[in-house]
C-alpha cells in the first residue's frame, strides 16, 4: 500500500491540471461571448484519414465544445491539392468570425508544410508555428506559444515554481516541441541542452539533467541509465506498442529514480489540448481588440 501511495505522489497528473485550466479558459470564453455576442471560434482542418490524427482532431472538437468554444471541422480528402488547401486557409483567414486555424499534422507528402504554415494568418495561428510568432518566441517577445511546449512549461511551473538554474535537457529538436521548448526554458533561466537522435553519449548527458523533456519519438527509450535521482521528467512521446500507448520514457524506471514524471496517457496530451483552447481564446480576444489579461503566456 505504502509503495502505491508513494508512486502516485510521483506522478504529474496532466489530466487534473488540464481540467483546472480548462475551467478557467471556459470562463474566459463565456466572458468573450458576453462581450461580442458570439463564442470564440476554432477551425480545424484534417487532410486524409490518418487514424491517430482523426482521434486527436475529435478530442480537440469535443474539448472545444466543453469549453464554450465553437469549432468548425473541415475534412479534406487525402488527394486534396496543395493549392486547394491553401485556398481553404485563405478563406478562413478572411472569415471574420474565425479566431483560430489549425491544420492537423502530419500532412500528405505532396503538400509542403512550410507553405501551409506560412499561409495561416499570424493573428489566427493557434499552433504558434508561423515564422512571425515563432520568431517572437525565439526573441522572448509576446507571442503565441506552440501548444505542447506550453503544456510542458505549465506543468513544470506548477511542480517546481521557480526553474532558475536547473539544467534542463530537451531530447528532440523539432519545430513543434524541441525548439520552442528551448526558448521557454531559457526564459525561465534554465541551463538548456538540446539533444537528439544523433547525439553521442546521451545517457551520460541525460544523467546530469535536473529536468528532462523527452520528445524523441522512440518507445521507452529513456531508461534508468538516463535518469538522475530527484529529477523531473516530462514525457512528450506517444507510441503505439501492441495497441498499448507508451511514451519515450520507461515509466517504471522513472518512477523508481526520478522525483516526478508525467504518465502516457494522461500527462502531456491533455495539457496540449488545454493549451490549444487557451491560444484560441487568447487570439479571439486579441483579434477583437478586447483586453486579455495574460493568465499564462
Ligand atoms: N500533430 C501533432 N502535434 C501537432 C500539433 O501540435 N499541431 C498540429 N497542428 N498538428 C499536430
Amino acid at each position: 500500500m505504502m509503495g502505491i501511495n508513494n508512486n502516485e505522489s510521483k506522478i504529474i497528473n496532466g489530466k487534473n491540471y488540464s481540467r483546472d485550466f480548462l475551467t478557467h479558459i471556459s470562463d474566459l470564453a463565456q466572458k468573450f461571448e458576453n462581450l461580442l455576442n458570439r463564442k470564440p471560434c476554432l477551425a480545424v482542418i484534417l487532410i486524409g484519414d490518418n487514424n491517430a490524427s482523426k482521434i486527436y482532431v475529435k478530442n480537440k472538437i469535443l474539448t472545444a465544445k466543453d469549453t464554450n468554444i465553437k469549432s468548425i471541422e473541415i475534412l479534406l480528402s487525402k488527394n486534396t491539392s496543395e493549392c486547394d488547401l491553401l485556398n481553404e486557409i485563405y478563406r478562413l483567414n478572411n472569415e471574420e468570425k474565425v479566431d483560430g486555424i489549425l491544420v492537423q499534422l502530419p500532412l500528405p507528402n505532396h503538400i509542403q508544410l512550410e507553405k501551409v504554415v506560412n499561409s495561416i494568418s499570424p493573428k489566427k495561428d493557434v499552433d504558434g508555428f508561423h515564422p512571425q510568432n515563432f520568431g517572437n518566441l525565439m526573441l522572448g517577445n509576446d507571442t503565441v506559444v506552440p501548444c505542447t511546449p506550453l503544456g510542458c512549461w505549465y506543468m513544470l511551473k506548477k511542480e517546481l515554481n521557480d526553474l532558475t538554474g536547473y539544467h534542463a535537457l530537451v531530447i528532440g529538436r523539432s519545430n513543434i516541441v524541441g525548439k520552442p521548448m528551448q526558448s521557454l526554458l531559457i526564459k525561465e533561466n534554465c541551463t538548456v541542452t538540446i539533444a537528439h537522435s544523433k547525439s553521442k553519449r546521451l545517457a551520460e548527458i541525460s544523467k546530469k539533467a535536473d529536468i528532462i523533456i523527452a520528445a524523441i519519438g522512440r518507445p521507452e527509450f529513456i531508461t534508468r541509465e538516463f535518469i538522475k535521482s530527484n529529477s523531473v521528467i516530462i514525457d512528450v512521446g506517444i507510441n503505439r506498442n501492441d495497441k498499448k500507448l507508451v511514451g519515450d520514457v520507461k515509466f517504471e524506471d522513472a518512477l523508481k529514480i526520478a522525483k516526478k514524471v508525467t504518465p502516457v496517457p494522461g500527462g502531456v496530451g491533455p495539457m496540449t489540448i488545454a493549451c490549444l483552447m487557451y491560444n484560441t481564446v487568447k487570439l479571439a480576444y486579441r483579434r477583437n481588440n478586447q483586453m486579455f489579461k495574460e493568465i499564462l503566456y
Side-chain angles (χ1 to χ4, degrees):
M1 238 1 235
M2 190 59 196
I4 292 168
N5 287 338
N6 194 24
N7 275 351
E8 238 163 59
S9 69
K10 285 188 164 195
I11 298 174
I12 302 174
N13 193 325
K15 190 85 203 163
N16 283 351
Y17 277 139
S18 74
R19 198 176 297 121
D20 294 347
F21 190 28
L22 283 169
T23 305
H24 199 62
I25 300 165
S26 177
D27 289 346
L28 289 170
Q30 183 62 56
K31 286 201 183 92
F32 179 89
E33 187 175 0
N34 297 346
L35 288 164
L36 276 287
N37 231 351
R38 69 167 181 88
K39 293 185 195 305
C41 175
L42 171 66
V44 180
I45 303 179
L46 174 63
I47 307 121
D49 38 27
N50 178 306
N51 274 330
S53 289
K54 281 202 260 185
I55 296 169
Y56 296 146
V57 166
K58 191 177 134 211
N59 278 337
K60 288 167 186 176
I61 303 282
L62 287 175
T63 309
K65 190 164 191 292
D66 284 346
T67 315
N68 288 323
I69 294 170
K70 178 181 151 108
S71 63
I72 302 172
E73 194 177 0
I74 297 154
L75 304 173
L76 302 176
S77 95
K78 63 176 186 295
N79 303 319
T80 302
S81 69
E82 186 178 89
C83 181
D84 283 350
L85 172 61
L86 294 179
N87 278 333
E88 187 62 30
I89 294 169
Y90 292 141
R91 187 182 69 75
L92 293 167
N93 280 342
N94 293 317
E95 190 81 59
E96 189 45 45
K97 288 179 182 165
V98 168
D99 300 294
I101 303 169
L102 179 142
V103 178
Q104 184 65 32
L105 305 179
L107 295 171
N109 289 335
H110 66 278
I111 299 177
Q112 272 188 55
L113 176 62
E114 189 181 339
K115 281 201 188 153
V116 173
V117 165
N118 290 357
S119 71
I120 296 173
S121 161
K123 289 189 164 62
K124 299 191 178 187
D125 173 32
V126 280
D127 264 325
F129 294 164
H130 189 281
Q132 183 183 311
N133 289 324
F134 204 88
N136 276 326
L137 180 64
M138 294 297 136
L139 292 165
N141 295 342
D142 182 28
T143 186
V144 190
V145 181
C147 308
T148 300
L150 184 58
C152 296
W153 172 89
Y154 182 98
M155 290 189 284
L156 283 174
K157 289 295 281 181
K158 290 281 179 185
E159 294 292 333
L160 295 168
N161 187 32
D162 184 4
L163 308 185
T164 299
Y166 285 124
H167 179 196
L169 170 67
V170 181
I171 314 178
R173 53 180 157 176
S174 71
N175 293 342
I176 297 183
V177 183
K179 285 179 199 161
M181 194 72 233
Q182 166 192 29
S183 296
L184 296 176
L185 291 167
I186 289 172
K187 205 166 177 183
E188 293 297 332
N189 304 311
C190 286
T191 305
V192 183
T193 301
I194 303 282
H196 46 78
S197 55
K198 302 261 179 356
S199 296
K200 293 194 202 309
R201 294 179 297 279
L202 185 53
E204 210 175 289
I205 298 165
S206 182
K207 191 94 188 174
K208 294 192 179 124
D210 304 306
I211 295 167
I212 299 174
I213 312 286
I216 336 145
R218 293 196 198 164
E220 300 182 315
F221 181 80
I222 302 298
T223 49
R224 55 189 316 122
E225 59 271 26
F226 290 74
I227 303 169
K228 181 171 124 170
S229 69
N230 234 17
S231 54
V232 175
I233 305 182
I234 307 289
D235 189 350
V236 181
I238 303 178
N239 310 285
R240 276 170 187 79
N241 236 0
D242 303 328
K243 291 186 186 159
K244 197 178 142 225
L245 226 50
V246 296
D248 290 349
V249 177
K250 192 148 192 237
F251 190 62
E252 306 85 70
D253 286 5
L255 271 187
K256 277 192 204 113
I257 306 165
K259 179 163 76 179
K260 290 266 174 148
V261 58
T262 61
V264 176
V268 173
M271 276 312 301
T272 295
I273 296 192
C275 289
L276 172 63
M277 300 304 134
Y278 174 79
N279 282 347
T280 303
V281 174
K282 169 171 156 172
L283 290 182
Y285 272 80
R286 293 241 166 120
R287 283 189 59 249
N288 291 280
N289 302 314
Q290 299 296 324
M291 266 287 283
F292 185 75
K293 198 168 163 294
E294 292 283 331
I295 54 168
L296 192 61
Y297 232 102

